[in-house]
Amino acid sequence: MIIQDHPSTKSSKPHYSINHKNPPKALFLSKSKNLDFSTWAYENSFKLSIITVLTLIVATYFFFFHNSISNPTPLFCSQKSHILHNPQKFKIPKPNFNSIHPILDKSSPYASFQSEQWIIVSVSDYPSISLQSLVRIKGWQVLAIGNSKTPKDWSLKGAIYLSLEHQANLGFRVVDYLPYDSYVRKSVGYLFAIQHGARRIFDADDRGEVIGGDLGKHFDLDLDSVDVKQQRIFQSVWPRGLPLENVGEVGHEEFYSEVFGGKQYIQQGMSNGLPDIDSVFYMTRKAGSEPFDVKFDEHAPKVAVSEGKMVPINSFNTLFHYDAFWALMLPVSVSTMASDVLRGYWAQRLLWEIGGFVVIYPPTIYRQDKAETYPFIEEKDLHVNVGRLLKFLIGWRCEKRIFFEKIIDLSYSMEEGGFWNENDVKLTVSWIEDLIAIGYKQPRLMEIEMDRNNVKNGLTNNIKEFVPRKLPSMHLGIEESGTVNYEIGNLIRWRRNFGDVVLIMFVSGPVQQTALEWRLLYGRIFKTVVMLSTQADADLLVERGQLDQIYKYLPKIFNRFNNTKGFLFLHDNTVLNYWSLLQADRSKLWIANKVPTSRPVVDGKDSTWFAEQADMVNKVVRTMPAHLQVNYKESSPSEQSLALCGSEVFYIPQQFVSDFVDLVELVGDFEIHHKIAVPMFFMAMDLPQKFDPVLNNMIYKTNIVSTSSFSFYSAQVPAVYPCNVSTESDFVGLIKLMAAGDPLLMELF
């Protein structure tokens, strides 16, 4: 095994010894010969050649091995790139579980130590005050896992500390796949705890303090007790790892079904102070260096997540029982921000196979906000195509009759689907082999019926009501004068206006840097957000389209959402202040046909191009049915002129969709520019005086280049053009400005 070079700890004993009585001949020269260097080199040329070749082989192996674990493939690796790097298809491993030899702790000072309850943390700095408080919790043993960033003299009374050297000497197979500078090295700690008698493992970090200093007051520790088995658990802040495409579908529940307790093998606690939030929320909600201090309802009931549904699970406030210890493995081929969340989804699907479930508990820890931020790019693995992952997991089926074989099958299937790479499949095999080697007994399978609406999990037919307490909310350091139920509940108020409208957005900017941000912003308001760009991106749910003739791509989208109130088109160089559209009539057409700074009419003979456009328009008009042609000719100045207006944003209600589709068909192969085609369509569908004038009040500047400075942005108008968002910092700056019109942005981002 290869260990990354790092300064060694001081020791009175050498790590390696040489037999001085019989030294190897290759390392010593004979004293009887007085040789100069050239003579010595000549006589030892063969040995030098062998040593040189071996050195190059070891160095090459180290380089590729180190890069393979320190530069993990991002989550949702595309199949194309995977094939390029792996010309031979990776085959599913078939380990022989019956030939695994036991692994005993013979190297650590704690070989004889046993404890049933462990708290496991990753440490990169000296012990924090929070970590010191964890050590004082009675009945629990703290295990600190070091990495390449951990101080060499790290120590804490009452805690067991495993340095990189100690981890390497434990004999676990998984060590070969773990990066040196990451918290995912906690996988070694999980195995160590299981090896030393663990029955319950609290996955924590060094920033959280258990409220009241007693885990037993918050979690269900004894699942075999009569009280726990007879209890009835309700079943059903935007958490990190929840699919963004479903943001608009989230609402609060007041009525719940129930499930009997006893199989809540994974227990996720809520965190006061700094909850598990994403970077956009973190960077836009707080002001200056003021730390977060979010409070959740401590009187809220715990809620079980039923089979067929999933919830994000983190690695700093989660209790695992023995029957879910197999679920502790942290993936290594994804970003560290995604590792624990992806583990949670993977684990939940497998949990159903043994009849277990996840339960969410009211606040269990207080987690300090150290004012340390991280870039949005670090957590894109959490958002990119998470929806596809959940659909894949829910639809996954396996006929194998051994649970460990099911685990390997799912890990392999996820590699085939591009959700992680083969390193995590190999890690899974090593993880299971290590579990067997330390004596872990796999749980028994339970028959489930995933294809039926009612799965067998001890459900009761009672429907219980729970109304959340009203708590004060804080954002940007300002306490609200009133109270709100909670943040997600507020989202419903905005969706009530546009929840039946589909937003179609064309992204001209860099899709990889902006698509998710736009979906975060507008996805919470509209029924859904359909994104188009010149380059399609399946992982980001971006479809291909050409802006010059974007109207030709709209009929297919209309057909997919035929039960909606209408469709709003938006170019990403225009910012939509949706709160200023609330009074607009959604049964009428909207377009900026009377913006003062735009030129509504352009002489068709100004250029050859305009003349060609005018000729094509006239040909289309001649083929229009009577009602469309009459409207157009009443509105159009003459056959020698073209109507041209800002088409960066416009709205089409459902009642005009069929006319719009007919007009697109009439254009056919004509290459009419969308800034000419769209106004033509609008004048044919209805008379301009019947349009809703809401967009005529937008800021529309034609004499400047698209900019990201937002110097002329105003929250008092329905839209602003041009505004360019091409980076994460641009997006955050825009959100803060838009909060003047929608303060909830500071609550939801």
Side-chain angles (χ1 to χ4, degrees):
M1 130 126 220
I2 298 175
I3 298 296
Q4 187 179 30
D5 292 336
H6 49 76
S8 60
T9 56
K10 294 182 180 180
S11 174
S12 59
K13 298 180 180 180
H15 288 284
Y16 304 98
S17 62
I18 297 177
N19 188 335
H20 294 282
K21 294 182 179 179
N22 296 294
K25 294 181 180 180
L27 296 178
F28 294 87
L29 299 177
S30 171
K31 293 183 180 180
S32 62
K33 294 183 180 181
N34 184 18
L35 302 176
D36 59 18
F37 179 79
S38 61
T39 303
W40 177 85
Y42 173 77
E43 292 186 2
N44 293 275
S45 59
F46 177 77
K47 297 176 182 177
L48 288 173
S49 300
I50 295 299
I51 292 173
T52 301
V53 171
L54 290 174
T55 302
L56 289 173
I57 292 174
V58 172
T60 303
Y61 178 76
F62 177 84
F63 174 81
F64 286 108
F65 180 82
H66 174 70
N67 278 275
S68 69
I69 62 177
S70 61
N71 297 296
T73 305
L75 179 61
F76 311 124
C77 323
S78 68
Q79 288 293 95
K80 182 178 180 181
S81 63
H82 179 72
I83 292 173
L84 289 174
H85 292 287
N86 299 277
Q88 295 183 349
K89 179 176 174 56
F90 177 65
K91 297 181 179 179
I92 185 170
K94 297 181 179 180
N96 184 359
F97 295 144
N98 296 321
S99 63
I100 297 173
H101 298 289
I103 296 178
L104 303 177
D105 182 4
K106 298 180 180 180
S107 61
S108 79
Y110 310 99
S112 62
F113 179 78
Q114 294 283 303
S115 177
E116 291 189 350
Q117 301 185 140
W118 293 74
I119 299 174
I120 299 181
V121 300
S122 173
V123 292
S124 298
D125 205 343
Y126 289 105
S128 64
I129 296 176
S130 297
L131 182 54
Q132 294 174 35
S133 71
L134 292 179
V135 173
R136 292 192 293 270
I137 298 178
K138 294 181 180 181
W140 291 79
Q141 175 60 52
V142 171
L143 175 61
I145 306 301
N147 54 59
S148 59
K149 302 174 185 177
T150 312
K152 294 301 176 183
D153 58 346
W154 196 99
S155 66
L156 175 62
K157 184 178 180 180
I160 296 176
Y161 171 60
L162 296 181
S163 65
L164 285 176
E165 291 87 353
H166 290 142
Q167 297 169 38
N169 292 330
L170 292 174
F172 297 139
R173 299 166 178 82
V174 298
V175 175
D176 293 343
Y177 300 95
L178 304 179
Y180 298 106
D181 60 350
S182 171
Y183 78 92
V184 302
R185 298 195 70 85
K186 291 171 78 174
S187 292
V188 176
Y190 305 142
L191 291 170
F192 183 89
I194 298 169
Q195 185 184 47
H196 289 265
R199 303 297 297 182
R200 287 166 288 278
I201 292 177
F202 182 55
D203 207 5
D205 70 2
D206 61 356
R207 283 197 283 177
E209 296 185 31
V210 176
I211 299 174
D214 187 353
L215 286 169
K217 290 183 178 180
H218 303 290
F219 294 108
D220 293 315
L221 301 184
D222 187 2
L223 297 186
D224 293 326
S225 70
V226 176
D227 290 340
V228 171
K229 287 186 175 181
Q230 290 183 349
Q231 68 176 324
R232 294 182 175 185
I233 304 173
F234 281 9
Q235 186 173 238
S236 31
V237 136
W238 194 254
R240 179 174 57 99
L242 200 61
L244 295 182
E245 59 263 38
N246 299 117
V247 65
E249 301 173 11
V250 176
H252 70 282
E253 295 181 67
E254 292 185 0
F255 295 94
Y256 300 81
S257 60
E258 293 180 315
V259 61
F260 288 115
K263 293 186 177 181
Q264 54 267 46
Y265 299 142
I266 299 179
Q267 302 175 14
Q268 174 69 66
M270 300 297 292
S271 304
N272 280 343
L274 178 64
D276 192 13
I277 55 177
D278 62 31
S279 62
V280 179
F281 187 108
Y282 186 88
M283 289 186 293
T284 58
R285 174 166 172 165
K286 64 188 302 181
S289 59
E290 181 180 355
F292 270 85
D293 191 13
V294 177
K295 291 183 174 63
F296 291 95
D297 184 1
E298 69 273 17
H299 300 294
K302 51 195 169 191
V303 177
V305 182
S306 62
E307 294 172 12
K309 298 180 181 179
M310 292 187 174
V311 65
I313 296 173
N314 60 46
S315 60
F316 62 78
N317 186 20
T318 311
L319 182 73
F320 289 78
H321 280 267
Y322 184 90
D323 282 344
F325 281 174
W326 51 267
L328 284 161
M329 183 196 78
L330 288 164
V332 295
S333 67
V334 300
S335 70
T336 55
M337 287 299 299
S339 183
D340 57 345
V341 175
L342 184 60
R343 174 187 72 173
Y345 287 138
W346 169 82
Q348 285 174 83
R349 178 58 189 89
L350 290 165
L351 201 61
W352 303 340
E353 300 291 325
I354 60 174
F357 52 88
V358 174
V359 170
I360 308 300
Y361 290 73
T364 54
I365 68 170
Y366 182 87
R367 191 163 177 252
Q368 293 182 340
D369 179 9
K370 294 184 177 180
E372 296 174 356
T373 186
Y374 44 85
F376 181 74
I377 192 67
E378 289 292 325
E379 61 180 23
K380 278 199 171 180
D381 282 351
L382 296 178
H383 303 309
V384 175
N385 219 15
V386 171
R388 184 172 71 91
L389 170 64
L390 299 189
K391 291 178 181 178
F392 164 82
L393 290 173
I394 293 172
W396 175 77
R397 301 291 185 271
C398 178
E399 300 299 325
K400 297 185 181 300
R401 307 307 302 172
I402 298 176
F403 182 59
F404 280 164
E405 292 182 354
K406 283 181 177 285
I407 295 177
I408 294 176
D409 185 272
L410 178 57
S411 293
Y412 180 75
S413 298
M414 288 178 63
E415 186 273 340
E416 286 190 311
F419 300 109
W420 58 27
N421 70 25
E422 65 183 60
N423 277 348
D424 276 316
V425 183
K426 296 176 181 177
L427 173 66
T428 303
V429 174
S430 294
W431 170 257
I432 293 176
E433 290 176 338
D434 284 339
L435 286 174
I436 295 173
I438 60 178
Y440 177 73
K441 304 299 182 183
Q442 61 180 313
R444 297 176 58 183
L445 291 171
M446 177 178 176
E447 183 178 353
I448 60 173
E449 302 178 51
M450 286 297 301
D451 297 321
R452 294 181 59 183
N453 292 329
N454 185 22
V455 292
K456 296 178 180 179
N457 204 13
L459 294 176
T460 70
N461 294 322
N462 294 334
I463 298 298
K464 297 294 184 179
E465 180 180 9
F466 169 70
V467 179
R469 293 174 62 210
K470 294 185 176 182
L471 299 174
S473 178
M474 295 285 293
H475 62 84
L476 290 178
I478 302 174
E479 186 171 0
E480 294 180 353
S481 57
T483 56
V484 295
N485 280 348
Y486 50 92
E487 295 164 351
I488 299 300
N490 279 333
L491 181 60
I492 300 176
R493 178 170 63 89
W494 289 100
R495 280 186 55 81
R496 197 170 292 142
N497 295 283
F498 296 105
D500 55 357
V501 173
V502 173
L503 178 66
I504 303 172
M505 190 170 190
F506 186 87
V507 181
S508 293
V511 172
Q512 295 291 336
Q513 282 72 43
T514 61
L516 289 174
E517 284 86 338
W518 289 126
R519 203 178 296 278
L520 273 168
L521 174 60
Y522 295 125
R524 48 190 277 277
I525 302 299
F526 295 93
K527 179 182 179 68
T528 191
V529 179
V530 179
M531 289 192 174
L532 301 169
S533 186
T534 53
Q535 296 294 327
D537 191 315
D539 288 341
L540 293 171
L541 301 178
V542 177
E543 305 172 24
R544 183 183 176 278
Q546 294 297 327
L547 181 60
D548 288 353
Q549 297 180 54
I550 195 64
Y551 58 92
K552 292 184 177 180
Y553 296 85
L554 302 187
K556 289 184 178 180
I557 299 175
F558 295 164
N559 187 56
R560 280 155 47 189
F561 302 97
N562 53 15
N563 293 323
T564 60
K565 183 74 174 180
F567 299 87
L568 184 65
F569 175 84
L570 181 68
H571 191 187
D572 70 344
N573 61 4
T574 303
V575 175
L576 185 70
N577 294 335
Y578 43 84
W579 55 87
S580 295
L581 303 175
L582 300 182
Q583 304 304 318
D585 189 340
R586 286 180 293 164
S587 66
K588 295 183 177 181
L589 295 166
W590 310 349
I591 195 168
N593 62 314
K594 293 185 178 180
V595 175
T597 56
S598 67
R599 294 192 300 167
V601 178
V602 177
D603 190 345
K605 297 183 179 181
D606 282 351
S607 68
T608 302
W609 183 83
F610 279 110
E612 293 173 349
Q613 292 285 306
D615 182 61
M616 289 186 287
V617 167
N618 289 331
K619 290 179 179 178
V620 171
V621 171
R622 296 189 194 105
T623 62
M624 289 181 182
H627 70 287
L628 297 177
Q629 189 176 125
V630 169
N631 283 341
Y632 180 81
K633 289 185 175 180
E634 184 174 340
S635 306
S636 180
S638 68
E639 291 188 0
Q640 288 72 40
S641 299
L642 284 175
L644 180 68
C645 68
S647 300
E648 290 78 16
V649 55
F650 56 84
Y651 171 76
I652 304 170
Q654 185 64 241
Q655 67 188 69
F656 289 102
V657 164
S658 59
D659 286 342
F660 190 97
V661 173
D662 290 343
L663 289 165
V664 172
E665 292 178 353
L666 292 178
V667 171
D669 295 331
F670 289 140
E671 296 183 355
I672 303 178
H673 193 277
H674 85 103
K675 285 194 174 182
I676 295 174
V678 171
M680 174 184 68
F681 291 176
F682 270 62
M683 289 189 296
M685 290 187 292
D686 208 353
L687 299 176
Q689 56 267 32
K690 294 183 179 180
F691 296 170
D692 191 290
V694 62
L695 293 177
N696 289 330
N697 297 319
M698 68 179 289
I699 294 177
Y700 195 99
K701 295 184 178 293
T702 58
N703 56 346
I704 61 173
V705 180
S706 183
T707 177
S708 60
S709 66
F710 311 126
S711 58
F712 51 87
Y713 174 82
S714 171
Q716 308 304 316
V717 298
V720 180
Y721 167 87
C723 288
N724 181 46
V725 174
S726 58
T727 66
E728 179 186 341
S729 59
D730 291 344
F731 178 71
V732 172
L734 175 62
I735 291 297
K736 290 184 176 181
L737 291 174
M738 294 180 69
D742 179 7
L744 287 177
L745 282 174
M746 309 313 293
E747 296 288 336
L748 299 172
F749 284 88

